[in-house]
Amino acid sequence: MTVRRTLCGDHPAAGGYRRLVDAAGEPHSDRTDLAPAPVHPGESLVTIAHISDMHVCDAQSPARAEFLDRWADPDSPVADQLEEVGTYRAQELLTAQVAEAMTRALNSVEAGPVAGAPVDFAVVTGDNTDNAQFNELQWYLALLEGGPVHPDSGDLNRYEGVADDEIPDERFWHPHAGQPDLPRLQYGLPSVPGLLDAVRAPFEGTGLAVPWFAVHGNHDRMLQGTIPGRVGLRAVAVGGFKPIALPQHWTPDAIASLLAGLALCDPAAIEALGEAQLRAVTADPSRRITTRQEFLDAHFGGRARPIGHGFQPGGPAYYRHDHDGVTLLVLDSVDEHGGWHGSVDAAQLDWLETELAAADAERRYVILASHHPLETFVNSSWTRGSPRRVLAAEFDAVLARHPSVVLWLNGHSHMTVVTPHATWWEITAPSLIDWPQQSRIVEVIRNAGTLTVATTMLDHHGGAPWDGSIDNPLALAALSRELSANDW
């Protein structure tokens, strides 16, 4: 929902598939959990475009494990033992086009809709890439900085992923309709001839018109956002064989044990993936898994504005940016030892406490930005000799001691959430890969005796309903959003 329109599902067709149609927008509503509603518009302190979880994805990569996702399907014998697996979506081959459509939408915002001030900068709160690959990193930067984007890998003359007709697997969507599949037959997804060529077509990334600041996410650091890129897995990413299925003789208990082990980054479970059935694909060195330092260094290219997008040369993945009387403190909540949830190490907490104490003394407002929300600071993965991890209760107690903190921007959960805490608001953004594929305009406004945080949802520029075309990024983004709304 936005103030201009709501996108909602039309009457269900075969399989329950719903086209998206326009409906009336939703006006802003007052949240008075922490303070009374302001009487006057007030003075804008900062206006921020908040984007999260773009998941720019190399859907043809051999380092992806799409075949694991089916075990969370409704008819899976182990579904009741699992949360979402999240390694496959029908729309994941369209992420570059969705990012382009959102960039154009953000560039069309002339001013914040509440206070009327222009957008000062954007904050991109992590999972910018999907599988920590170098080529995905290049695409994400070209999309947001502007420049040529060629979302293809391996054999540049044909698509080599689970959506093509070389893998006769009914659990994957085959848009060319060469193979029967459950997404089309059972859930009503469309046949889209030519799509697998269209998604690989190069285009020129528009780039954001405002400066933007980057945040490190778990998918920017680890395979499928969970597993560190150890030597053997790095070889798989650039190699010529893609795992496509578990052995047929595996029992449901063995499958459930594997998935539980992978969630915990158990080396035995990772090794067990070596028994998967394989398909030959074209090897590609550009798919190499990046390190944290390579991720940071990539933000210092010639198109970067500002240089480094907040990161400092040779510095950590957390930093400070000042905007008049507002300070943005960007956190690195990724636990490099594995796991998809977040935490910080003790050194980063010390840095944060020092920054907050200074902001308290100088009467500056502090906005935090991280990938993970507070409730997901539960990742205590570590190795012997590494610094301890700081989890939610301890982190929350630190924030409670510092009145300068007024707002925390984050993502990770792919949900649109606004949460009040004792003296500050937490704003969690949705993703661009899952429904509803939205971002936000966030305005911090000072009134007489009151500070207001105004948030407005923003749709990307893909049309609704999708018009059936696939010849440009906006048309492909429209298809992606419709597919995301019908994800079974």
Side-chain angles (χ1 to χ4, degrees), residues 258-425:
L258 170 72
L259 293 168
L262 291 174
L264 297 173
C265 298
D266 181 353
I270 296 170
E271 184 176 351
L273 281 178
E275 297 183 37
Q277 299 176 37
L278 301 177
R279 169 206 173 169
V281 296
T282 304
D284 188 340
S286 76
R287 292 175 174 146
R288 63 183 175 83
I289 305 304
T290 58
T291 65
R292 186 187 307 245
Q293 194 58 55
E294 286 175 313
F295 176 83
L296 302 181
D297 291 347
H299 291 77
F300 289 83
R303 293 177 180 261
R305 188 163 68 98
I307 295 295
H309 296 292
F311 301 128
Q312 300 302 307
Y318 52 90
Y319 59 88
R320 165 181 169 175
H321 170 73
D322 291 327
H323 177 85
D324 297 332
V326 176
T327 292
L328 176 70
L329 296 179
V330 171
L331 308 173
D332 179 11
S333 57
V334 178
D335 187 337
E336 63 184 9
H337 304 293
W340 63 83
H341 284 326
S343 56
V344 298
D345 62 21
Q348 187 174 174
L349 186 68
D350 291 343
W351 168 83
L352 177 64
E353 287 213 78
T354 300
E355 291 288 353
L356 294 180
D360 292 343
E362 298 168 13
R363 300 183 65 81
R364 286 183 280 113
Y365 299 112
V366 170
I367 299 174
L368 304 178
S370 70
H371 178 61
H372 294 89
L374 177 63
E375 69 173 2
T376 68
F377 271 46
V378 296
N379 190 344
S380 57
S381 299
W382 66 291
T383 55
R384 185 176 299 276
S386 63
R388 71 179 183 90
R389 304 301 298 182
V390 177
L391 306 184
E394 182 180 0
F395 197 87
D396 191 23
V398 168
L399 299 188
R401 296 196 292 267
H402 295 284
S404 53
V405 177
V406 297
L407 179 62
W408 185 350
L409 305 176
N410 50 53
H412 182 63
S413 67
H414 296 203
M415 295 168 59
T416 307
V417 184
V418 177
T419 307
H421 294 266
T423 57
W424 52 275
W425 287 97

Side-chain angles (χ1 to χ4, degrees), residues 15-228:
Y17 190 88
R18 293 175 181 264
R19 306 296 308 279
L20 294 179
V21 295
D22 280 354
E26 181 183 70
H28 291 95
S29 58
D30 290 329
R31 292 281 300 270
T32 56
D33 310 58
L34 303 184
V39 177
H40 302 292
E43 169 200 4
S44 174
L45 297 179
V46 65
T47 302
I48 302 171
H50 181 199
I51 319 164
S52 198
D53 294 81
M54 292 191 297
H55 287 273
V56 174
C57 174
D58 176 7
Q60 301 177 79
S61 171
R64 296 180 57 76
E66 297 96 339
F67 62 94
L68 296 177
D69 198 77
R70 71 195 56 205
W71 301 109
D73 279 355
D75 60 349
S76 163
V78 298
D80 60 346
Q81 302 177 50
L82 303 174
E83 299 179 18
E84 281 187 87
V85 176
T87 59
Y88 170 72
R89 301 162 175 86
Q91 69 272 15
E92 64 193 14
L93 68 171
L94 295 156
T95 52
Q97 292 81 9
V98 172
E100 172 64 16
M102 182 56 74
T103 298
R104 297 190 197 184
L106 288 164
N107 288 348
S108 72
V109 177
E110 296 181 357
V114 176
V119 176
D120 294 296
F121 54 84
V123 178
V124 186
T125 51
D127 282 5
N128 314 292
T129 63
D130 188 70
N131 208 39
Q133 294 181 191
F134 179 70
N135 58 345
E136 294 175 340
L137 178 57
Q138 290 180 307
W139 300 341
Y140 132 71
L141 289 170
L143 285 159
L144 295 191
E145 293 179 347
V149 181
H150 191 184
D152 196 5
S153 64
D155 186 342
L156 300 184
N157 295 309
R158 65 185 182 121
Y159 188 93
E160 295 180 302
V162 297
D164 68 19
D165 293 332
E166 299 299 315
I167 301 178
D169 190 324
E170 67 175 9
R171 294 283 170 168
F172 299 132
W173 180 51
H174 298 284
H176 287 187
Q179 295 285 348
D181 60 58
L182 292 180
R184 286 185 294 118
L185 298 177
Q186 185 169 329
Y187 301 111
L189 269 65
S191 297
V192 189
L195 180 65
L196 300 184
D197 291 329
V199 299
R200 299 182 298 110
F203 61 90
E204 191 74 12
T206 302
L208 287 172
V210 297
W212 58 273
F213 295 90
V215 179
H216 188 224
N218 53 294
H219 279 261
D220 301 315
R221 180 68 181 89
M222 291 176 286
L223 276 78
Q224 304 279 243
T226 303
I227 301 173

